[in-house]
């Protein structure tokens, strides 16, 4: 049977890859890499550097163009479903055409494969060829954010909520919320003077940006820094914690 590894490689710092992940890299015969376009060459380059640094056995790299989600679609759920179908068809072709029986393939996934990453759900749609699956956990951007700001994610006796940016407006009574995938900067619409924000972008990398303070005082600074960074690099990965003081 064919075997597939989903390897969490952390949010960007090459030193944050785990020993288990390095061992897993050296089990793979084929690495599947999705090319997201010139604007995100940094993400592709880091994956290749990790392989060059840590893999000591012969391997093959299969690089393919990643299907793009229609970010302007009015039906968000429908657009994501269509994107997942395209990716599932691509993954099925890769497993069929590029991985021989008895071989081990691998995807290198940013952060933690089980937290706001779609690969596991997409692979559920791939019925053929048959393959076994193993997930190697990684450090998430949420952990990296807390470490960079030197804070504990949870407070005593309180829950921690994690949600995507598009759901922030639906959240009532924000007390301790981590927000990911907030391309529309939903935090900027909040006007609660009691909220404190811990924001970070490109966490763990040489380009890391950190801002923290009362939301009403620093949100304009975050918006400006975010726009400048995105214009400079062509992409941005950021996350933040909102906490009621």
């Amino acid at each position: 049977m064919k075997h597939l590894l989903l390897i969490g490689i952390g949010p960007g710092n090459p030193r944050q890859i785990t020993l288990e992940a390095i061992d897993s890299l050296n089990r793979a015969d084929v690495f599947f890499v999705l090319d997201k376009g010139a604007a995100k060459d940094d993400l592709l380059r880091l994956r290749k550097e990790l392989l060059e640094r840590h893999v000591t056995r012969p391997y093959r790299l299969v690089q393919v163009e990643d299907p793009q989600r229609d970010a302007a679609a009015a039906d968000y759920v429908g657009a994501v479903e269509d994107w997942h179908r395209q990716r599932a068809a691509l993954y099925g072709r890769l497993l069929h055409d590029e991985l021989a029986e008895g071989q081990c393939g691998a995807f290198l996934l940013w952060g933690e494969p089980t937290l706001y990453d779609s690969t596991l759900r997409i692979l559920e749609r791939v019925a053929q060829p048959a393959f076994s699956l193993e997930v190697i956990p990684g450090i998430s951007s949420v952990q990296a954010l807390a470490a960079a700001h030197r804070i504990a994610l949870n407070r005593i006796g309180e829950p921690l909520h994690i949600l995507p940016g598009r759901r922030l407006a639906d959240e009532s009574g924000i007390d301790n919320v981590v927000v990911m995938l907030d391309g529309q900067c939903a935090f900027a619409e909040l006007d609660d003077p009691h909220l404190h924000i811990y924001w970070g972008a490109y966490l763990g990398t040489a380009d890391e940006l950190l801002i923290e303070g009362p939301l009403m005082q620093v949100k304009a600074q975050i918006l400006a820094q975010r726009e400048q960074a995105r214009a400079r690099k062509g992409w941005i990965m950021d996350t933040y914690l909102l906490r009621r003081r």
Side-chain angles (χ1 to χ4, degrees):
M1 179 177 284
K2 302 180 181 188
H3 190 62
L4 185 62
L5 301 170
L6 303 185
I7 304 175
I9 60 173
N13 186 339
R15 296 176 300 169
Q16 289 179 345
I17 188 170
T18 67
L19 293 177
E20 183 183 16
I22 293 173
D23 289 343
S24 298
L25 292 177
N26 282 283
R27 293 165 53 196
D29 302 293
V30 181
F31 292 96
F32 302 117
V33 178
L34 301 183
D35 187 344
K36 298 177 180 293
K40 294 187 176 180
D41 276 349
D42 286 351
L43 308 183
L44 184 60
R45 175 182 51 79
L46 177 59
R47 283 181 170 93
K48 292 180 177 179
E49 288 178 356
L50 285 175
L51 296 180
E52 292 170 0
R53 176 182 297 189
H54 295 300
V55 180
T56 58
R57 56 171 289 181
Y59 65 88
R60 191 160 54 88
L61 187 69
V62 177
Q63 183 174 326
V64 293
E65 184 177 350
D66 188 18
Q68 297 299 305
R69 177 173 64 85
D70 183 1
D75 180 5
Y76 173 80
V77 174
V80 171
E81 282 290 317
D82 182 62
W83 178 46
H84 284 186
R85 281 192 294 269
Q86 293 181 60
R87 271 192 164 185
L90 173 62
Y91 293 178
R93 289 197 300 272
L94 291 174
L95 291 171
H96 183 275
D97 298 340
E98 302 291 349
L99 197 63
E101 284 295 326
Q103 283 193 321
C104 180
F107 285 98
L108 308 184
L109 303 181
W110 289 105
E112 162 53 42
T114 65
L115 181 63
Y116 283 95
D117 184 274
S118 60
T119 308
L120 279 167
R121 281 188 295 272
I122 292 170
L123 287 171
E124 291 176 355
R125 299 171 179 257
V126 179
Q128 293 294 332
F131 62 94
S132 59
L133 180 64
E134 186 176 350
V135 179
I136 311 302
I139 293 175
S140 71
S141 60
V142 178
Q143 295 165 280
L145 175 77
H149 280 291
R150 302 178 301 280
I151 56 171
L153 284 169
N154 65 296
R155 295 190 292 193
I156 297 174
E158 288 187 1
L160 172 69
H161 295 170
I162 302 177
L163 49 80
R166 63 187 181 86
R167 297 296 300 272
L168 182 60
D170 302 331
E171 189 76 3
S172 60
I174 296 172
D175 288 315
N176 207 39
V177 176
V178 170
V179 183
M180 305 178 71
L181 305 175
D182 187 10
Q184 304 304 314
C185 300
F187 64 87
E189 302 301 318
L190 300 177
D191 57 2
D192 188 334
H194 301 293
L195 288 179
H196 201 89
I197 189 170
Y198 300 87
W199 176 83
Y202 312 113
L203 290 159
T205 74
D207 297 309
E208 181 176 87
L209 299 172
L210 298 172
I211 296 175
E212 68 95 4
L215 177 63
M216 300 299 292
Q217 295 181 22
V218 301
K219 66 181 178 180
Q221 180 187 359
I222 293 173
L223 290 171
Q225 286 265 6
R226 195 179 188 281
E227 184 63 27
Q228 292 168 12
R230 185 165 192 163
R232 182 176 68 253
K233 290 182 67 66
W235 60 278
I236 189 166
M237 286 185 179
D238 61 339
T239 190
Y240 55 89
L241 169 71
L242 288 172
R243 175 168 286 173
R244 185 172 301 280
R245 284 293 180 99

